Each structure stands twice: as structure tokens, then as C-alpha cells.
Amino acid sequence: YLTYMNDVYLTFNIPNFTDSVAERMSSCKRYFYDNGLLSNFLINAETKLLENIVAVNLIERYGKEEDRVFFYNKGIEVDFYIPDEGMAIQVSYSIKDLETKERETDALIKLSKVLPCRRLLIITFDEESVLQIDNHSRIEVIPVWKWLLMLR
């Protein structure tokens, strides 16, 4: 059924960024093209809806080719990684909570030590700042509306 949902453009997959092609295809994250459909299945899911909007717009911008947009899950999980841009993105409704902020920033910093990352982003609902974690790690926190306008 999942293949059928992809075939009729209800959903799409984003593969894991791994060396193994089999693992890349077998461990995918699934997103809906329509947030309205997704919201029918979720309760209190602001972050998931926000992540879905980001995924749809990344696919719109970079294309559905299998080697353009990824997520990363090897000991840490990063929502999106775009190798051609050297960009890693975490999506969180809010990072006002210290534990959430640390989880999101730690994942981006750890990824930047493993893969080449020129730009680290946390996309939120309405927060904006620049976090200087250490001398080398600069993380932009940007509201989703501003990020969507930057894509145009």
C-alpha cells in the first residue's frame, strides 16, 4: 500500500544518507504532499506538520531524484541533509525549551563533524536568532515563513 500511495502522489520518501544503496532505500522517511491529509491522522502535531511543509518545499526546490535530499540517522538524527548545498536542517516548532534546543543543536554539530556542512539551520514556527555554539559552529534559527520566502 505504501508504494501505491507514492504512485498516486499522496506521499513521497526521503532516503537515509548512507553508503549502502539497499539501506538507503529500505530506511526512508515518508511525507505527505498535502498537510491537510496529514493533519487528519495526527493530534497535537505542530512539529510534524512543520517538518512536512519543509520536506515538501525541499523536494519542490531540489527535485525528487534519489541523491538530492536526505535525512541522516547514524547515531544521531538530522531531519534533512542536502549534500550539494552542504546544508543540514533540523525542524522544531520551538526551541525555547533548553532540552529541545540542546537536542537540535547537538545533532547539527555532530553531523557537521562527520559530513561537510557549510550551513546549519533550525527551522521553527516563529523564532529567529543565530547561535554561535563554539568557534566553528554557527547555527541559524529561522521562522518557517521567512525560510519559505527565501526559497523563491
Side-chain angles (χ1 to χ4, degrees):
Y1 290 109
L2 297 177
T3 303
Y4 295 144
M5 290 174 68
N6 279 3
D7 290 347
V8 297
Y9 297 99
L10 284 176
T11 62
F12 61 93
N13 298 331
I14 293 184
N16 191 4
F17 190 77
T18 64
D19 296 329
S20 164
V21 175
E23 188 178 335
R24 188 177 288 183
M25 292 299 107
S26 66
S27 64
C28 293
K29 284 175 88 173
R30 184 170 304 281
Y31 294 95
F32 281 80
Y33 280 106
D34 185 348
N35 255 17
L37 286 173
L38 178 60
S39 67
N40 288 328
F41 305 113
L42 303 172
I43 299 170
N44 297 328
E46 293 90 0
T47 297
K48 186 63 181 164
L49 291 171
L50 195 63
E51 184 178 334
N52 199 76
I53 289 170
V54 171
V56 168
N57 282 278
L58 286 172
I59 291 299
E60 182 180 293
R61 181 171 189 181
Y62 295 107
K64 274 191 69 170
E65 291 85 26
E66 298 297 328
D67 60 346
R68 301 296 304 254
V69 178
F70 299 92
F71 77 97
Y72 184 85
N73 191 2
K74 277 189 176 179
I76 55 167
E77 185 174 338
V78 174
D79 295 327
F80 303 102
Y81 177 63
I82 298 93
D84 292 346
E85 300 287 325
M87 182 167 47
I89 300 173
Q90 287 287 73
V91 180
S92 181
Y93 192 80
S94 174
I95 59 167
K96 290 177 183 171
D97 176 54
L98 185 59
E99 185 179 318
T100 304
K101 183 178 182 178
E102 286 178 359
R103 182 183 65 241
E104 304 294 355
T105 56
D106 286 350
L108 288 171
I109 291 168
K110 287 177 183 174
L111 179 71
S112 70
K113 292 179 180 177
V114 176
L115 296 171
C117 294
R118 292 185 302 276
R119 190 170 184 202
L120 303 174
L121 288 172
I122 298 176
I123 298 176
T124 64
F125 181 70
D126 63 355
E127 297 166 37
E128 184 173 10
S129 64
V130 175
L131 306 173
Q132 192 71 36
I133 303 301
D134 55 29
N135 291 336
H136 304 334
S137 299
R138 179 180 181 271
I139 300 174
E140 299 171 62
V141 179
I142 187 165
V144 69
W145 66 266
K146 191 176 244 185
W147 180 78
L148 290 170
L149 289 174
M150 289 169 48
L151 293 178
R152 303 291 168 219

